[in-house]
Amino acid sequence: MGSTRRRDSDIPAPSNPDSTCTTVRWTVACILVTCAVLVLILPWPLPYEQSIEDIMQERASHLHEQCETIPTLGNFSLPAPRTDNPNHPYYNYFLEPRHRLLWCAISKVASTSWMYQLNRWADVPQEKIAFYARDLKALTRLYYPTPTRADVEQIKRDVETPVVRFLLVRDPFDRFVSAYEDLIVRPQSDNYRNLRRFIFREVYGVDVPVAVVQNATSPAPSFSDFTEFVLRRKNVRDPHWESYYNLCDPCFLQPTVIVKLETYDRDVAHLLQLLNHTTTGTGRYDNARLNVNHHRTANNDASMGRSKSTLDRLAELTGDQFERLYHRYELDFRLFQYDASQYFALFRED
């Protein structure tokens, strides 16, 4: 057995104590640095992630709170009080009975896509929808009559077979700029081509200013001109730039689901779950993102101009115009939790 044991003379002598300490310190330092780097670069889960159900509840609760608070502030030029007439029609409301959905249509916020969807749910052939592509609202009304105030009140009271009340919104200034780009810069109908002259006449007193004729083959009012026209002519209630508050009376509708264009896919997926939609057959959701009024291709004629970002367009306004424009849409910003600070920063004096 003695031959199987290691002799004391075979054990190496310990190294220099100072060198050993230095090695240990460097090893510990390397481990700490590695851990710090991993903490920074690895996708560690957040301690709390808000569920889509909580997000929708928060949006609806915020809207309700604002509807209760705003009338008491006294610094809003609110429209005339809403009628209590039970027969008052809500022309932008669409009740889809198959999926128990009540939707208020807002132009420039995927309204064409949802008109298409409602027509498909009504079993309207795609060829017919394509034929009426420029007036889908009229086609949709053939299958979904206009609900009255009494109808909506009854829907809100029905707790046994609840109806999902649905609004789809986007940043109010993004929508306003989109209306200008699609309807004024690149109009696709005679109505909006003629509107160009009305805008010039309102701002300059002539159909088309001489300077505009000399510098453009397809004269379009500037964004500043368009904004001034909208601010002055409050009687022109175009649905493409009318406020959400006026179009949908959200404080009366009390939507249970508020979808935002900025988080469209996630929000719509939640909405469809609530509707118990099917992916096949006559009840399927087509997810068609129709764009019949938009012509923002890369091959746009140079004379028609190219789309600019919302910040770029707002930067074309004077400070006074911006203040008036924000005041016009302030309710929409407040009701639907949109932050306008980035826009105010454009006009902040350093």
Side-chain angles (χ1 to χ4, degrees):
M1 291 183 60
S3 61
T4 61
R5 296 181 180 176
R6 296 187 65 181
R7 292 176 297 180
D8 292 342
S9 59
D10 293 331
I11 300 175
S15 61
N16 187 319
D18 292 339
S19 176
T20 301
C21 292
T22 300
T23 301
V24 171
R25 284 197 295 268
W26 275 108
T27 301
V28 171
C30 289
I31 292 173
L32 292 175
V33 170
T34 301
C35 291
V37 171
L38 289 175
V39 168
L40 292 175
I41 67 174
L42 289 180
W44 300 100
L46 295 175
Y48 172 73
E49 183 175 351
Q50 194 175 23
S51 69
I52 184 63
E53 292 81 8
D54 289 340
I55 290 172
M56 290 300 168
Q57 180 59 50
E58 180 184 335
R59 290 176 182 176
S61 297
H62 175 85
L63 174 64
H64 177 74
E65 292 170 0
Q66 290 296 309
C67 289
E68 293 289 325
T69 302
I70 285 173
T72 68
L73 298 180
N75 57 342
F76 289 95
S77 55
L78 296 175
R82 307 295 186 177
T83 178
D84 291 329
N85 181 358
N87 296 318
H88 175 73
Y90 280 82
Y91 292 109
N92 293 312
Y93 287 15
F94 292 84
L95 175 61
E96 206 290 322
R98 179 182 300 180
H99 295 85
R100 301 197 61 76
L101 174 71
L102 179 62
W103 167 56
C104 181
I106 298 175
S107 298
K108 306 304 300 172
V109 195
S111 60
T112 304
S113 297
W114 277 89
M115 293 286 183
Y116 171 87
Q117 185 59 56
L118 262 63
N119 280 285
R120 293 299 293 145
W121 279 338
D123 301 327
V124 180
Q126 289 183 328
E127 296 77 11
K128 187 173 183 178
I129 297 175
F131 182 80
Y132 285 94
R134 297 290 175 183
D135 197 7
L136 273 185
K137 187 172 184 178
L139 176 64
T140 309
R141 273 288 171 240
L142 295 177
Y143 304 94
Y144 300 97
T146 302
T148 64
R149 186 177 183 89
D151 294 331
V152 179
E153 291 281 16
Q154 177 60 38
I155 288 170
K156 291 161 62 175
R157 286 194 298 266
D158 190 350
V159 294
E160 294 186 0
T161 53
V163 171
V164 176
R165 302 189 298 276
F166 159 48
L167 266 185
L168 205 165
V169 297
R170 68 190 290 192
D171 181 293
F173 282 167
D174 282 343
R175 174 173 173 259
F176 186 74
V177 169
S178 178
Y180 170 73
E181 296 281 0
D182 291 332
L183 303 175
I184 306 302
V185 177
R186 287 173 289 277
Q188 300 300 310
S189 70
D190 289 338
N191 287 339
Y192 289 102
R193 292 188 188 94
N194 293 332
L195 181 61
R196 287 176 164 189
R197 296 202 305 272
F198 287 114
I199 293 174
F200 283 132
R201 194 178 303 162
E202 176 68 33
V203 178
Y204 300 101
V206 295
D207 284 354
V208 183
V210 174
V212 173
V213 174
Q214 293 174 343
N215 294 300
T217 58
S218 180
S222 68
F223 181 68
S224 176
D225 294 337
F226 170 67
T227 301
E228 191 63 31
F229 172 81
V230 170
L231 292 173
R232 290 185 189 179
R233 297 296 295 270
K234 296 181 180 180
N235 60 320
V236 180
R237 310 295 290 270
D238 191 289
H240 295 89
W241 59 77
E242 185 62 279
S243 70
Y244 304 148
Y245 186 85
N246 288 336
L247 283 172
C248 287
D249 195 359
C251 293
F252 169 67
L253 177 63
Q254 297 176 338
T256 52
V257 173
I258 299 173
V259 172
K260 293 191 174 183
L261 200 63
E262 295 81 3
T263 51
Y264 184 87
D265 291 336
R266 181 201 67 187
D267 295 354
V268 168
H270 172 71
L271 172 65
L272 296 175
Q273 286 183 343
L274 294 177
L275 300 180
N276 294 319
H277 86 291
T278 59
T279 56
T280 59
T282 57
R284 74 184 298 270
Y285 174 70
D286 287 348
N287 195 28
R289 305 292 283 273
L290 301 186
N291 215 21
V292 297
N293 293 317
H294 301 189
H295 298 270
R296 303 187 187 192
T297 63
N299 296 321
N300 281 331
D301 187 276
S303 65
M304 300 177 72
R306 296 184 181 276
S307 299
K308 291 186 178 181
S309 73
T310 299
L311 287 171
D312 289 338
R313 283 302 185 193
L314 291 175
E316 298 174 15
L317 304 180
T318 66
D320 175 69
Q321 285 178 317
F322 170 76
E323 291 281 353
R324 291 155 59 206
L325 185 66
Y326 175 74
H327 184 68
R328 175 77 175 264
Y329 294 102
E330 185 175 0
L331 279 176
D332 291 348
F333 276 96
R334 290 182 61 119
L335 292 175
F336 299 104
Q337 297 173 285
Y338 281 105
D339 182 12
S341 59
Q342 61 176 328
Y343 306 130
F344 277 95
L346 290 171
F347 301 91
R348 186 177 299 132
E349 296 182 1
D350 296 332

